[in-house]
Amino acid sequence: MQIIIYDNAQQVAQSAAQWVKELINKKPDPVLGLATGSTPISLYKELVAQYTAGQLSFKNVSTFNLDEYHQIDPANPQSYRSFMHQNLFKHVDIDTNNTSLPTCAVGENPRTQGLAYEQKIKQAGGIDLQILGIGGNGHIGFNEPTSSLSSRTRIKTLTQQTISDNSRLFKQGEVQPTMAMTMGIATIMDARYVVLMATGASKAQAVKEMITGGVSAMCPASALQMHENAIVLLDQAAASELGEKNYYQWANNENRKLIEDYGYFHNY
Ligand code: PGA
């Protein structure tokens, strides 16, 4: 794991945007894994700003989102399809035919939908770079604690903590879904690079467990300890429970020197 601690959330977003930009500029047919939630909104703002400034094009980009609520109408403003449209897709030159979410409409079988999503990712050549947030309970995507470390795209029942964490996003009277389709932990682990963004003190404990705890289904993000190319971007608050901050800082300075000498090493 490469752990990079920034002064603030804005710098975390800029750094994540830099990763996306490197991929898009390097690969003719980049495949990007996307996340929803509050954290990546600032990343999408950065990407839209760069697109608007003519520095970035999404014309050849394919995307796969981590998750989507079960049986939600894509037109529902609470769907993750709507979230992606509002925060990224409608602002850039992406072909929406190349954007996918793990949907499961009324009458569809979650099992076959999950398998089809896995197949679609494979046909696209696999995910080059997966953007992730982390839940206060250590989830990635909607892989809640107890999720098998070998899980693939499937339906999950959300925990009470996730339902209550996300309740802030629902207005009174709006139905909050309790089930979702999500990429599995093994699906995420297949991505060539993983960039996890975490900001704010409410993530500090989960971040500590992810980085310094044992690999365990009780902290799904800890599976990233086994990933060859996992990059964790933190602000000071999210890093506040870590004991090795000086080492991470030093290692990053050393890394930066290598990048200056040899350029980026990303092997997409
Ligand atoms: P958040 O969610 O960015 O809204 O905090 C992150 C997550 O649950 O993965």
Side-chain angles (χ1 to χ4, degrees), residues 30-211:
V31 181
L32 194 54
L34 298 175
T36 52
S38 307
T39 314
I41 289 177
S42 49
L43 161 63
Y44 299 140
K45 283 206 173 107
E46 275 295 320
L47 294 176
V48 170
Q50 293 190 17
Y51 166 76
T52 310
Q55 295 162 2
L56 199 56
S57 167
F58 291 80
K59 235 187 340 212
N60 300 318
V61 177
S62 304
T63 65
F64 288 91
N65 265 78
L66 283 169
D67 41 25
E68 176 60 287
Y69 287 122
H70 182 224
Q71 294 187 340
I72 198 163
D73 182 342
N76 184 324
Q78 290 290 355
S79 77
Y80 286 167
R81 165 62 72 185
S82 295
F83 176 101
M84 290 314 307
H85 180 71
Q86 287 303 331
N87 288 290
L88 183 63
F89 297 160
K90 78 171 183 185
H91 303 289
V92 299
D93 61 346
I94 199 161
D95 178 350
T96 45
N97 291 318
N98 296 334
T99 64
S100 305
L101 290 90
T103 54
C104 187
V106 177
E108 286 179 332
N109 181 338
R111 196 168 163 72
T112 50
Q113 288 299 108
L115 287 171
Y117 200 63
E118 291 285 325
Q119 203 56 35
K120 202 169 177 188
I121 294 172
K122 221 177 258 172
Q123 272 162 5
I127 293 169
D128 292 308
L129 172 63
Q130 177 67 55
I131 300 295
L132 291 176
I134 183 170
N137 62 1
H139 75 201
I140 44 176
F142 272 135
N143 293 287
E144 300 285 35
T146 72
S147 289
S148 160
L149 300 181
S150 303
S151 51
R152 296 258 160 209
T153 306
R154 69 211 184 289
I155 192 162
K156 281 297 288 183
T157 303
L158 308 187
T159 58
Q160 282 306 317
Q161 184 180 342
T162 296
I163 292 169
S164 115
D165 285 351
N166 287 352
S167 62
R168 71 188 193 281
L169 306 169
F170 289 81
K171 294 188 208 91
Q172 215 173 8
E174 255 181 343
V175 179
Q176 184 179 359
T178 56
M179 295 182 103
M181 295 291 291
T182 180
M183 279 186 201
I185 297 176
T187 322
I188 293 168
M189 292 293 284
D190 279 351
R192 293 180 187 92
Y193 284 79
V194 167
V195 169
L196 184 144
M197 306 167 68
T199 57
S202 65
K203 301 296 170 66
Q205 192 56 36
V207 163
K208 181 183 177 193
E209 272 172 47
M210 162 177 71
I211 297 171

